[in-house]
Amino acid sequence: MESYLCSSLNAAPLSAAAQSVIAALRVQYVHRTDRNKASESETEHSNSIINLRLVILLAMHFIVHRLVRISVLECVQDTTVRSGEILDSVKEKEDSGSERREITKSRTSSPQPDENTILMPFGERDVKAESTVHPTSGGVQHSIRPHSQHTGKWESSGSTQEAPKITSSQELCKKTLRALRFPSQLFHKAKVKGSIKLLKLKPPQPDIKRQRHPLRPQKELKSQGCNKPNRSKQSYEMPSEADRKDDVTTATTRGAFSLTSDPRLCDTGRLSQEERECLFEEAGKVNAFVVTMVYQDGPIQLDPEQRLCPAVCGLLVLLKRNLDSEGPQDRPSERVLYFRLEQAPAWAQQDLTQKQDVFSRYVWILLQIFCDTKPFVCFKAKDLLRTALKHFSKDLSWKQVLGCEVMDPQITPWLLDPSDSASCFQTLLSKHYTHPVTSLQPVLGQAKVTQVISNLSLLYNLMMELHNKLQTQGLWQLYSAVEQKMIPILAAMESYKMHVDKEALKNTSELLGVIILFKKLRLHELCENRKLKKTAVHIRNRSEYTFNLLQLQKLHPLPTIILKYRQIHKIKTAFVDGILSCMSKTFISSTWNQTSTVSDRLSAKHPNFQALPKQPLQISKKQYIQGGHYDVCVCACACVCVYFCQVELRLLAQLSANPQLLRIFQNTEAEAFTMLAAQWKGMSEDRVSLEDREHAKCIVYSVVYGAGRERLSGILGVRREVPAFIQQTIQHCHKHGMCDKHRVELKKLSRAAHLRNQAERQAVNFVLQGSAADLAKMAMIKICSQVASASHTARLVAQIHDELLFEVEISQLEQFAMLVKKTMESLQHIENLGVNLSVPLKVSLSTGPSWGSMCEMDLPCNITATSL
DNA sequence: CCATCTAGCGTTGGG
DNA sequence: TCCCAACGCTAG
């Protein structure tokens, strides 16, 4: 019984899921109409209303998966719409935020007719922006583990203080995990994979998102250092047209100084043609560029306060001539250029269009220089590249950005220690810069220019120091060959916009709302019943709540209803409404974070593309393809999804050198889990059912992640010995390569047994997950560079850990598929990183007109073998 | 005293 | 049983 429930919930084959829903609704209905007689036989009397609702429910469940549609149409660039200066200050994030607000406010009412209107009074939009602070954004700054002794006290104690004991264990961890992460047979260059989270305290961060909106009275600010005293007042004022004619940075500090009139800065917008050409010629001779973006109200990327991703209005570029120079930064030989990115106000549109074009051309040239061989330092470089791609979409394609050699000081510290992510520039300086830094307090006026210039220079020096650290720790190869090249790829992914059928989503949201309402009501009615309530309350206190609910399903209908309610509710709130709230116009694009995980994976936000529900493909996919693909050929593109099969298990086989696993994977045609299941149950492979396969998969990954015997039997729902060969694998894996010498060290780290065990499990997991993540990253890099060098038009859309999603023109589909498959399987051997796997990598592809409707793509092996 | 905000926890979706 | 993000609930 348990196993059935388990598989119906986890794997959700249509029939099983449908059956459980049917059962739930029927029981529920009977129970309500005639509580005393609710017996098994009575449930046979189905009701047409219930069936109707069931159909709606199921339909919704599957429709959701098909809504995210990837369009061939490149988005129309925003620059074509110039609705006056107000448009300039509309930020994308605010856009989406205000929509989110509308949705939550009028979720069940009809859509507002003027919802897409852009022109709104300035102040009103500010109010909206204020209300859109995302609950989770920036929350990481405050997250302190429960075992932390600092809880509740970190605000008053020094902001970067750490307990000395912790620091030493951290060091130890680094040492022990260095070799652990990439054993010699996998990677030559070992990468220090950071300290185990459990054993490390995250140092309290200065609170940068504490700043309230100017319209609200500010509560007590908990950090002094990261707040600008005057900024709130300035951004509250409505700028007049005359102000906006000037440079934006001038507007914020008007009266005190003019950024562009400072002799140390050179505003490229005010140069004559000849001067510009001289300038770019000169720029070609410098040794390095240090770049930062200037935001709407004056802050630059290096400033800590960027809560809402403000609009970008310019670029500051420091031309670094003498690489060895560490002297005073404001020497005349090092020029700082200022480039305006600001869009032209409507009233000056005609006047500025030509200027804009000229400017675009020059920035394009500049970017070409960037993309050439010059080192190019930028803090949060991904944002810069994305902005560039957005602004100059006509002149600049993602392929051109791909090769740029950008050095980002945000990535390096994360490589050195993955558990310290997202630091602001000031924190980085205090942590990693060895020379004394005078003052990092934000200033205004003339001092601001001085600070900006000196910060740019500091940024460069910091980068150099970090590079040295990388090299001494043996991480340089990994940084330059993988992480650095990810930056433009991620920028390209973020600049790509996925088309979403908004109306359909809205309808779905409403329908799901109705269903939920219905279920909620029922739930409520049922909970009125004393007995039921008692049961539910009784079990609630343990974390095995869900498990208990599963167990209780046979005893009472309520648990089933609760589970189904949760499922539907999750789909509605997290995915349908979630996507709606992340949309700007008709598109979504996730934000990809390279440095937020300890295991080297990528993560995505707004929406979390990696957690969108996996589509159940069982039904009606053929109809869909015929309709979408053959009839309406407006969309000439297909969605291609390519994924590594069982990549973690293959890496486990590689690392543990388990002969049985190795044998299984050497046979490229075989289905690994099927074989395992066959071996486990002692039957022939063709007799293994889907259920058995899922079981085997579940066992394998549980064991890989370190599940104990108890837990395992809980998963299986049966008391059964752990298959001997898996135990063998684990022992082998502990013995060879992975945990052998490190376990000793880990034991020393924590005396408590459960902590030690957790550390061990995490270590195993880091190795597998991190190596898999690196393979995926390398796949992205290789494929992108191949696509860029060929005539392909395919675009990388998303990465879901072991899976890459592309949009491909149908005419290039087959060619691209072969390219991708070959490229990814070739990652078995990577020359410059010393990767040399004895286990072959298997890659599968699926394709379809949209992400929601994919089906397996058959690529004959012989063709791949002969043609490539 | 009340309204509002948020950290922390629990649960769910993905791998 | 490892890694993520998003949401709901609740105590402070």
Side-chain angles (χ1 to χ4, degrees):
Chain A
M1 185 62 187
E2 293 100 333
S3 59
Y4 162 71
L5 290 172
C6 200
S7 65
S8 84
L9 263 128
N10 291 336
L14 176 64
S15 55
Q19 279 170 17
S20 59
V21 175
I22 290 170
L25 288 174
R26 281 183 182 171
V27 172
Q28 172 192 1
Y29 179 73
V30 171
H31 185 81
R32 184 173 171 270
T33 49
D34 194 352
R35 283 178 191 167
N36 296 329
K37 291 182 183 174
S39 67
E40 281 299 316
S41 61
E42 297 275 344
T43 61
E44 294 300 313
H45 304 283
S46 62
N47 183 290
S48 60
I49 296 175
I50 293 300
N51 282 338
L52 182 62
R53 286 189 169 120
L54 169 66
V55 168
I56 294 174
L57 187 143
L58 283 175
M60 285 310 104
H61 182 74
F62 295 117
I63 283 172
V64 170
H65 303 303
R66 305 209 159 79
L67 291 177
V68 181
R69 195 151 50 85
I70 293 164
S71 160
V72 58
L73 303 169
E74 277 295 321
C75 70
V76 181
Q77 191 59 23
D78 293 350
T79 46
T80 55
V81 191
R82 293 202 180 93
S83 322
E85 72 273 16
I86 286 171
L87 178 59
D88 293 347
S89 62
V90 176
K91 302 152 199 152
E92 278 201 9
K93 295 291 176 186
E94 287 188 21
D95 257 344
S96 60
S98 56
E99 275 181 29
R100 176 198 190 92
R101 182 170 166 268
E102 300 226 343
I103 289 157
T104 46
K105 196 180 71 182
S106 57
R107 186 167 291 177
T108 47
S109 65
S110 57
Q112 304 277 348
D114 57 344
E115 194 178 1
N116 290 322
T117 310
I118 298 168
L119 289 167
M120 284 183 279
F122 195 74
E124 184 187 331
R125 188 172 44 254
D126 264 3
V127 175
K128 285 191 172 188
E130 184 271 331
S131 68
T132 60
V133 185
H134 202 275
T136 58
S137 70
V140 70
Q141 263 85 19
H142 307 287
S143 69
I144 307 252
R145 295 270 155 185
H147 53 269
S148 154
Q149 299 302 311
H150 285 241
T151 311
K153 289 200 286 185
W154 60 274
E155 286 158 0
S156 50
S157 64
S159 64
T160 53
Q161 212 172 355
E162 278 184 44
K165 201 168 86 187
I166 302 295
T167 315
S168 64
S169 357
Q170 187 186 334
E171 279 304 308
L172 205 50
C173 266
K174 272 189 188 172
K175 270 187 201 160
T176 55
L177 282 177
R178 175 200 299 262
L180 168 77
R181 170 63 197 284
F182 294 117
S184 54
Q185 70 260 40
L186 183 55
F187 286 89
H188 288 327
K189 294 280 177 184
K191 170 183 173 182
V192 180
K193 209 48 221 179
S195 51
I196 290 172
K197 211 177 183 178
L198 182 79
L199 303 172
K200 180 181 158 47
L201 270 182
K202 201 173 254 188
Q205 303 278 332
D207 189 349
I208 55 170
K209 75 164 201 174
R210 185 65 69 163
Q211 189 181 5
R212 292 281 162 275
H213 190 270
L215 285 179
R216 307 200 142 269
Q218 294 207 1
K219 291 184 183 174
E220 190 186 351
L221 286 171
K222 302 206 172 172
S223 81
Q224 323 285 330
C226 293
N227 188 29
K228 260 192 194 173
N230 280 337
R231 187 168 169 257
S232 49
K233 194 182 158 206
Q234 283 152 4
S235 58
Y236 175 37
E237 286 171 2
M238 173 84 177
S240 67
E241 287 195 350
D243 289 336
R244 302 206 39 98
K245 192 175 176 180
D246 287 331
D247 194 300
V248 176
T249 34
T250 316
T252 51
T253 51
R254 137 181 38 106
F257 84 115
S258 162
L259 188 91
T260 49
S261 70
D262 193 289
R264 290 168 294 179
L265 288 185
C266 169
D267 184 356
T268 54
R270 296 185 182 172
L271 296 176
S272 70
Q273 189 72 16
E274 296 80 36
E275 283 173 317
R276 287 179 174 183
E277 280 172 9
C278 279
L279 183 67
F280 280 105
E281 195 180 331
E282 185 190 344
K285 292 177 190 164
V286 299
N287 297 79
F289 298 96
V290 188
V291 189
T292 188
M293 292 197 285
V294 182
Y295 289 114
Q296 189 75 47
D297 291 323
I300 60 176
Q301 273 182 304
L302 301 177
D303 292 332
E305 38 179 318
Q306 289 147 38
R307 194 161 49 91
L308 280 174
C309 305
V312 177
C313 64
L315 284 182
L316 278 174
V317 181
L318 171 71
L319 304 182
K320 196 82 183 169
R321 250 178 239 170
N322 185 358
L323 290 180
D324 301 326
S325 151
E326 296 205 8
Q329 286 81 31
D330 48 359
R331 61 172 58 181
S333 67
E334 288 180 354
R335 300 181 71 176
V336 178
L337 310 180
Y338 178 67
F339 293 89
R340 273 155 81 118
L341 288 183
E342 192 190 16
Q343 289 171 13
W347 48 268
Q349 198 174 334
Q350 278 196 325
D351 190 26
L352 287 180
T353 333
Q354 200 188 352
K355 204 174 167 185
Q356 185 99 3
D357 287 345
V358 172
F359 171 70
S360 293
R361 202 152 50 84
Y362 275 100
V363 172
W364 185 71
I365 294 170
L366 182 76
L367 281 162
Q368 276 200 318
I369 296 173
F370 285 168
C371 299
D372 214 9
T373 52
K374 297 286 190 302
F376 156 34
V377 182
C378 178
F379 186 66
K380 297 180 183 172
K382 188 192 68 182
D383 294 343
L384 173 73
L385 290 179
R386 185 193 55 223
T387 310
L389 283 172
K390 207 172 273 182
H391 269 82
F392 308 113
S393 57
K394 285 170 196 149
D395 296 320
L396 189 72
S397 89
W398 67 273
K399 291 185 180 183
Q400 290 167 294
V401 179
L402 206 61
C404 83
E405 224 179 282
V406 53
M407 296 183 274
D408 190 340
Q410 203 189 19
I411 296 195
T412 321
W414 168 75
L415 265 183
L416 294 168
D417 178 8
S419 55
D420 89 347
S421 56
S423 296
C424 64
F425 175 63
Q426 279 71 14
T427 319
L428 285 185
L429 271 184
S430 57
K431 260 191 197 167
H432 292 99
Y433 194 57
T434 46
H435 300 287
V437 179
T438 50
S439 169
L440 296 170
Q441 299 296 318
V443 288
L444 284 180
Q446 195 75 27
K448 175 77 181 172
V449 184
T450 313
Q451 192 191 39
V452 163
I453 296 174
S454 95
N455 273 354
L456 284 177
S457 229
L458 271 178
L459 183 68
Y460 180 82
N461 295 340
L462 173 70
M463 194 68 228
M464 293 302 118
E465 286 211 9
L466 286 169
H467 275 190
N468 286 341
K469 276 194 191 176
L470 279 181
Q471 274 164 345
T472 51
Q473 306 235 11
L475 294 171
W476 177 252
Q477 189 69 22
L478 190 71
Y479 172 76
S480 59
V482 181
E483 301 299 341
Q484 189 177 349
K485 294 187 175 167
M486 286 299 294
I487 298 172
I489 291 178
L490 291 181
M493 277 164 71
E494 286 187 12
S495 69
Y496 179 83
K497 297 186 176 180
M498 269 160 288
H499 181 249
V500 175
D501 191 338
K502 196 172 183 176
E503 284 307 311
L505 264 183
K506 278 184 182 166
N507 293 338
T508 313
S509 176
E510 284 178 21
L511 278 167
L512 282 177
V514 172
I515 292 170
I516 285 181
L517 214 58
F518 161 73
K519 292 184 87 71
K520 252 186 183 167
L521 281 175
R522 284 301 168 84
L523 207 58
H524 186 253
E525 285 172 22
L526 284 174
C527 281
E528 294 292 312
N529 187 328
R530 292 194 317 270
K531 288 179 186 173
L532 296 179
K533 201 174 174 182
K534 218 172 177 179
T535 320
V537 169
H538 181 63
I539 34 170
R540 208 180 42 178
N541 38 10
R542 295 306 296 173
S543 66
E544 293 168 2
Y545 183 48
T546 308
F547 183 70
N548 280 338
L549 284 178
L550 284 173
Q551 299 279 317
L552 285 168
Q553 275 187 124
K554 39 187 172 178
L555 303 177
H556 206 277
L558 180 60
T560 314
I561 297 166
I562 293 178
L563 289 173
K564 284 299 154 195
Y565 165 74
R566 279 186 190 168
Q567 194 181 356
I568 310 266
H569 186 250
K570 175 74 177 182
I571 288 172
K572 174 170 162 54
T573 57
F575 302 125
V576 181
D577 292 348
I579 288 178
L580 275 173
S581 72
C582 293
M583 284 176 68
S584 59
K585 310 245 165 53
T586 58
F587 303 103
I588 56 170
S589 31
S590 288
T591 308
W592 299 90
N593 200 338
Q594 193 177 355
T595 60
S596 73
T597 65
V598 288
S599 59
D600 231 11
R601 283 182 166 183
L602 295 177
S603 74
K605 280 192 308 192
H606 299 288
N608 181 359
F609 207 96
Q610 297 175 318
L612 295 183
K614 221 174 81 174
Q615 63 280 11
L617 288 169
Q618 275 86 348
I619 51 166
S620 73
K621 64 186 175 192
K622 283 187 177 171
Q623 293 171 5
Y624 194 91
I625 283 180
Q626 277 165 6
H629 185 269
Y630 296 113
D631 297 349
V632 195
C633 253
V634 181
C635 176
C637 264
C639 196
V640 170
C641 172
V642 43
Y643 53 96
F644 286 117
C645 302
Q646 311 101 23
V647 61
E648 289 188 9
L649 197 58
R650 283 166 195 268
L651 285 169
L652 176 69
Q654 166 76 31
L655 293 170
S656 66
N658 178 292
Q660 274 170 301
L661 277 180
L662 284 176
R663 190 172 49 80
I664 287 175
F665 284 127
Q666 287 302 338
N667 183 356
T668 48
E669 288 307 301
E671 226 294 334
F673 289 115
T674 312
M675 283 183 74
L676 287 175
Q679 200 164 345
W680 174 35
K681 301 211 166 182
M683 54 173 80
S684 67
E685 282 170 37
D686 42 352
R687 283 186 55 230
V688 173
S689 69
L690 209 65
E691 198 178 311
D692 294 332
R693 187 180 169 278
E694 289 302 319
H695 261 172
K697 194 172 168 180
C698 199
I699 294 169
V700 166
Y701 280 108
S702 303
V703 172
V704 168
Y705 295 148
R709 179 170 302 215
E710 256 177 60
R711 186 77 188 175
L712 205 57
S713 59
I715 293 168
L716 294 175
V718 279
R719 287 219 162 272
R720 198 184 281 263
E721 279 302 303
V722 177
F725 77 94
I726 289 183
Q727 269 187 343
Q728 224 177 344
T729 306
I730 294 310
Q731 281 170 5
H732 215 279
C733 142
H734 277 252
K735 222 187 277 176
H736 297 91
M738 300 220 298
C739 298
D740 184 37
K741 53 191 167 188
H742 318 288
R743 169 186 272 173
V744 184
E745 301 292 332
L746 288 169
K747 266 182 193 166
K748 280 184 198 165
L749 285 179
S750 58
R751 291 199 190 95
H754 68 282
L755 288 183
R756 188 185 65 234
N757 288 336
Q758 179 161 9
E760 283 177 11
R761 289 193 299 266
Q762 284 177 331
V764 173
N765 185 251
F766 282 171
V767 175
L768 290 175
Q769 211 176 71
S771 305
D774 283 340
L775 278 183
K777 284 182 181 176
M778 286 185 269
M780 293 166 78
I781 292 165
K782 281 211 164 188
I783 292 170
C784 282
S785 80
Q786 294 209 26
V787 164
S789 62
S791 59
H792 283 292
T793 53
R795 280 205 70 166
L796 180 59
V797 174
Q799 185 241 44
I800 306 131
H801 302 132
D802 60 351
E803 181 177 325
L804 300 179
L805 198 62
F806 292 92
E807 184 203 63
V808 190
E809 272 182 48
I810 283 177
S811 58
Q812 301 183 348
L813 193 60
E814 198 144 316
Q815 201 188 355
F816 176 76
M818 286 193 290
L819 169 84
V820 163
K821 190 174 163 72
K822 181 203 129 199
T823 309
M824 283 173 75
E825 288 180 347
S826 77
L827 289 174
Q828 189 182 350
H829 308 285
I830 307 172
E831 195 79 14
N832 59 347
L833 284 173
V835 178
N836 207 355
L837 301 175
S838 58
V839 180
L841 294 170
K842 190 182 170 191
V843 173
S844 292
L845 294 105
S846 54
T847 184
S850 83
W851 195 34
S853 55
M854 315 262 284
C855 61
E856 194 86 12
M857 188 174 179
D858 257 344
L859 210 62
C861 281
N862 49 357
I863 290 184
T864 354
T866 52
S867 65
L868 298 168

